[in-house]
Amino acid sequence: MSRDPRSGAAPGVATGAGPGSVGIVTPQTMHFDAPLVLASGAQLAQYDLRYETYGTLDAARSNAVLVCHALNASHHVAGTYANQARSTGWWDNMVGPGKPIDTNRFFVIGVNNPGSCFGSTGPMSIDPATGRPYGARFPVVTVEDWVTAQARLADALGIERLAAVVGGSLGGMQALSWAIRYPQRIGHCVAIATTAKLSAQNIAFNDVARSAIQSDPEFHGGDFYAHGAIPRRGLSVARMIGHITYLSGDDMTERFGRSLRTEDYAFGYGAEFEVESYLRYQGSKFSEYFDANTYLLITRALDYFDPARAHGGDLTRALAPATARFLLVSFTTDWRFAPERTREIVAALIANGRDVDYAEIDAPHGHDAFLLDDARYHRLMASYFDGIHARLAGASRAGA
Amino acid sequence: MMLRQDLAQIAAWIEPGSRILDLGCGDGTLLAHLRGSHASAGYGIEIADDSVLECVRKQVNVIQADLESGLRMFADGMFDTVVLSQTLQAMRHVEAVLLEMIRVGRRGIVSFPNFGHWRHALALLGGHMPVTPEIPYQWYDTPNIHLCTPKDFEVLAARLGLRITDRTLLAAGAPVRVLQNLRATVAIYRFEKR
């Protein structure tokens, strides 16, 4: 759950690619012919994954860091696109030369998940079986399905083991899933502002957002492409709901209070309060670039993620196969994915005797804090990745 | 690395290969030492941002949490030894934390400054609250709200059903054997559930 992946235009996020940027980047596409068998039993007969990489893969192919994206972000993690204004990657403040995830040391991979709408195969793509966009026929995918696809990309890049898998929010779920499903392939799991399962309240928010999309007459049951339509209003409302939950109440008060855009009450229903104007703008902007089917699909993947479900709800047993070292981070004002949820993961990891660091950052910005510049958060990440780098160096000396 | 004397004593009481929980672990010095010398799997709990960062730098397992909100996240008997060094006197709920220590661990170790030290008594006789290297705070800004003497601790331990198995009283880093209650600056106890 993050902001516009193409602009990163959140307050507090570096919007320019200044010093420490990976510079101009170019996305690549990998095609896969082997079918991706999904958790639902359905399969994607063939698919593309859009991805970007930054930094250099070392000779031992040991320094790769996979960055998993959240709801509305993409493979474009860092850097900018040539001749494209406001094209800074969504986590450019975290990834780059000299930044916490230092591209002078690590080979960083960003990949767009299947089902998303930024270049990997998704509902907007042409279904080879029909010659028309998948639309509503695109299969429901899960976090586990994404991780399977990411592992295949790692295979294709010749990377057997990732130094770290990193993600915030839904991206953190992917990092956890990696640790459980591919314990031999991941050295460190860095899961930020995340949870091992959504709460009823979270699922409820997602359902309201989906209902907004599905009830837009322009949605056409998901086949709006064929009608030349876009369910902009539904998407916009979905985004407004989501956006409210990513901010803390205090943060909203601080930023907007009850400020009016008009001189006085207009006794109507327009965007009179600043907060209304802001949300409507965010919603409208989002509806211009995001795909409605992708929104349904990704929120469903969030709802379904629950690795403990196969173990009678026992998260300790679910995490038992994991051997990675873990860093978990939560933010005190994040009520969407509250610190309490992360503590459950920490407790389960300790019960399994795993190496784990857990930081609870006292930040005012709610769930969105994981994308923002916060000195304590960034220092912590930098120190943790220093440790990863030191271990890699130690391992290569031992192996030499 | 020279270990603070009370930490050296605590380390000496920890069996190699055991599972440690260090409450208020500070910059992770004890855990880093135990990892090196004892091959022990340890976790620290710490509230302060700077200390948490230092633990991460040392590659020590640290959980950022407030001890006062309890050790709820830990299951019964998860640890072999639970350590609380130089923190007991700053806890609001002393009894609760001691009981929690022997719930989540088989053994507990605490260290605390001896309020009964003669220099403290002298300061009180002179009409002032003591300010010494062990408790270097003025009365109005001290975090130390539950100071006690070794005897006080032993009375509480008995009342809570803790069996004290080991005790060391230190002054200037060395064990004190004569006039312990007056001369010791730091008291260290190891205990288990009776």
Side-chain angles (χ1 to χ4, degrees), chain A residues 343 346-347 350-351 353-360 376 379-380 383-384 387 390-391, chain B residues 19 41 43 49-50 52-53 55-57 59-65 73-74 78-79:
Chain A
R343 281 187 222 123
V346 172
I350 294 175
R354 292 289 147 250
D355 281 309
V356 51
D357 287 313
Y358 168 56
E360 206 167 288
R376 284 160 301 177
R379 271 200 301 271
L380 179 90
S383 289
Y384 195 76
R391 279 193 200 97
Chain B
R19 286 160 59 99
Y43 300 88
D49 290 330
D50 291 348
V52 169
L53 183 64
C55 288
V56 170
R57 287 205 177 110
Q59 303 183 21
V60 156
N61 292 317
V62 64
I63 312 304
Q64 187 163 29
M73 66 190 290
F74 301 109
M78 263 174 104
F79 299 95

Side-chain angles (χ1 to χ4, degrees), chain A residues 110-357:
Chain A
V111 54
N112 189 216
N113 289 322
S116 181
C117 50
F118 297 107
S120 292
T121 299
M124 296 158 75
S125 309
I126 300 298
D127 179 354
T130 63
R132 295 202 308 271
Y134 281 100
R137 285 175 310 282
F138 195 87
V140 170
V141 292
T142 63
V143 167
E144 286 75 15
D145 295 331
W146 287 332
V147 167
T148 305
Q150 292 162 4
R152 288 191 182 177
L153 178 66
D155 290 341
L157 296 172
I159 297 161
E160 174 53 35
R161 182 179 163 90
L162 294 154
V165 178
V166 190
S169 189
L170 175 58
M173 292 176 173
Q174 293 159 57
L176 289 176
S177 181
W178 262 95
I180 294 168
R181 295 193 45 225
Y182 298 106
Q184 275 77 48
R185 300 194 66 178
I186 159 176
H188 298 79
C189 172
V190 180
I192 304 160
T194 196
T195 175
K197 61 171 191 280
L198 290 196
S199 66
Q201 188 191 40
N202 266 315
I203 295 169
F205 279 123
N206 283 345
D207 191 49
V208 175
R210 283 190 295 265
S211 297
I213 291 169
Q214 288 168 316
S215 59
D216 186 328
E218 301 292 310
F219 183 62
H220 297 287
D223 289 321
F224 50 91
Y225 319 101
H227 292 80
I230 299 176
R232 284 203 181 84
R233 276 168 298 173
L235 255 176
S236 177
V237 172
R239 181 56 172 170
M240 289 165 77
I241 296 159
H243 204 96
I244 295 165
T245 70
Y246 308 151
L247 304 177
S248 72
D250 285 350
D251 192 27
M252 283 184 104
T253 300
E254 174 113 340
R255 280 160 74 173
F256 310 107
R258 293 181 50 83
S259 298
L260 291 169
R261 301 178 68 238
T262 46
E263 281 290 303
D264 201 349
Y265 293 164
F267 298 96
Y269 302 103
E272 295 178 32
F273 289 93
E274 287 289 357
V275 68
E276 294 176 304
S277 160
Y278 172 82
L279 279 178
R280 288 179 192 199
Y281 172 73
Q282 291 295 334
S284 150
K285 196 175 67 163
F286 183 73
S287 71
E288 296 298 318
Y289 73 82
F290 208 79
D291 176 68
N293 283 311
T294 290
Y295 202 94
L296 301 188
L297 187 147
I298 295 190
T299 53
R300 201 39 136 185
L302 274 160
D303 295 348
Y304 280 170
F305 185 66
D306 182 6
R309 187 166 177 261
H311 301 274
D314 185 340
L315 185 60
T316 301
R317 273 172 52 205
L319 283 164
T323 53
R325 291 168 177 272
F326 286 79
L327 171 64
L328 290 123
V329 182
S330 71
F331 299 92
T332 50
T333 55
D334 181 354
W335 56 278
R336 186 81 195 250
F337 289 181
E340 188 59 37
R341 301 284 80 76
T342 301
R343 281 187 222 123
E344 291 165 357
I345 302 169
V346 172
L349 290 168
I350 294 175
N352 282 313
R354 292 289 147 250
D355 281 309
V356 51
D357 287 313

